[in-house]
Amino acid sequence: MENTEQVCEVLCFLAQLPIEGVSLEDDRGTYMPFQVGAFVQAARACLPAPLKLLVHVHTGAGFENAPIIEALLHGADGCWGGLPKRAAIIGHASLGELLANLVRAGNPHVRQAYAIDRLLPLASWLQTKDDPGSPIPEDLPVLGTNAYRLTLDFFRQLPTRAMDLPPETLGGRYGYRVAPLAADTTVRAGRLNEVLGPGPFQPKVLERMIGIMREDLRHGERCVYDEPAELAELYRRAGGQA
């Protein structure tokens, strides 16, 4: 992108060759979304249809998904990548995340062309097959193991709200993750159900659990209450019968 005139000359030259299209790459993941969008718009002018224009963006600065959306808005035909996020450097704008975001934005073609309700399990399976010895990273957007574990019921995404994308849409389901300063009654009951089995869990016990966690924090105690053993002990301390 540094030598824009030379790049345009190359693209115009490529447009005269018997090719089907061109793939552009942000190889270090360092360009801003608006830069990628502007470059794609210029490239589209040099490469008119039916020539295809694809983009591939690495993760470097943390906004790798935004340039892909900008590229599509400015005339790109698609994205080259894999369903999981793992790739060179520290990852790339994955097709799994792109498809999920297009569904989130209300794109009508994605649901027709792809089995979106199988996206999450398929992407997870591919990622574990690619690196059998490593678990799926917890905090990946959309595809990570924590992406759909609620820490507060307010964060729940609903099918009736624009731009929300419930996990069931992708073939997943909500889980729960207990954190001392966020977990409300719904989350605590949900996580207990995962760890101890179906309740009922008494409301006064659930309320006492949050009090104990905050008392521990004030006394300098640091526990990972989300861990099954720690959660069961917390439940017992609050007066619950495991």
Side-chain angles (χ1 to χ4, degrees):
M1 291 188 191
E2 289 83 354
N3 302 309
T4 306
E5 291 184 3
Q6 295 180 8
V7 172
C8 288
E9 289 179 3
V10 171
L11 291 173
C12 290
F13 170 73
L14 291 174
Q16 301 174 35
L17 300 179
I19 61 174
E20 294 186 4
V22 173
S23 178
L24 305 175
E25 179 174 348
D26 179 359
D27 50 7
R28 297 183 301 279
T30 55
Y31 289 101
M32 294 289 186
F34 71 87
Q35 291 176 297
V36 174
F39 191 80
V40 166
Q41 187 174 16
R44 181 82 281 175
C46 301
L47 298 165
L51 292 175
K52 299 298 183 183
L53 183 58
L54 304 180
V55 287
H56 177 67
V57 177
H58 282 124
T59 300
F63 43 59
E64 65 283 351
N65 287 318
I68 297 298
I69 299 297
E70 285 292 319
L72 295 176
L73 289 172
H74 286 84
D77 293 290
C79 171
W80 172 71
L83 283 177
K85 196 176 192 71
R86 287 177 176 171
I89 313 180
I90 57 173
H92 71 321
S94 79
L95 294 179
E97 293 177 19
L98 172 62
L99 290 171
N101 285 329
L102 291 177
V103 172
R104 186 189 305 277
N107 185 293
H109 308 291
V110 176
R111 290 179 183 270
Q112 299 171 7
Y114 300 96
I116 292 298
D117 60 341
R118 299 171 57 188
L119 175 61
L120 188 57
L122 175 60
S124 300
W125 179 79
L126 288 171
Q127 187 152 301
T128 56
K129 294 293 286 185
D130 181 57
D131 190 0
S134 300
I136 296 174
E138 291 183 342
D139 294 325
L140 285 181
V142 182
L143 306 176
T145 52
N146 278 343
Y148 283 114
R149 294 186 70 210
L150 289 172
T151 55
L152 187 64
D153 193 55
F154 174 80
F155 296 148
R156 188 184 300 272
Q157 299 185 48
L158 304 174
T160 55
R161 189 161 50 204
M163 303 299 291
D164 279 11
L165 187 65
E168 293 80 8
T169 305
L170 308 177
R173 63 181 180 84
Y174 267 118
Y176 301 91
R177 182 158 55 112
V178 172
L181 295 179
D184 56 18
T185 301
T186 299
V187 168
R188 294 194 295 276
R191 183 61 176 146
L192 285 171
N193 182 77
E194 293 173 345
V195 172
L196 301 179
F201 303 105
Q202 295 183 345
K204 65 178 182 179
V205 174
L206 296 173
E207 291 295 337
R208 181 58 186 144
M209 287 172 68
I210 190 65
I212 292 174
M213 286 190 289
R214 292 176 180 175
E215 288 171 5
D216 287 348
L217 286 176
R218 287 196 296 270
H219 290 98
E221 300 289 339
R222 296 293 186 269
C223 298
V224 183
Y225 299 103
D226 189 62
E227 293 293 329
E230 294 286 356
L231 185 69
E233 175 61 15
L234 175 64
Y235 182 63
R236 184 197 63 77
R237 291 170 63 193
Q241 299 295 319

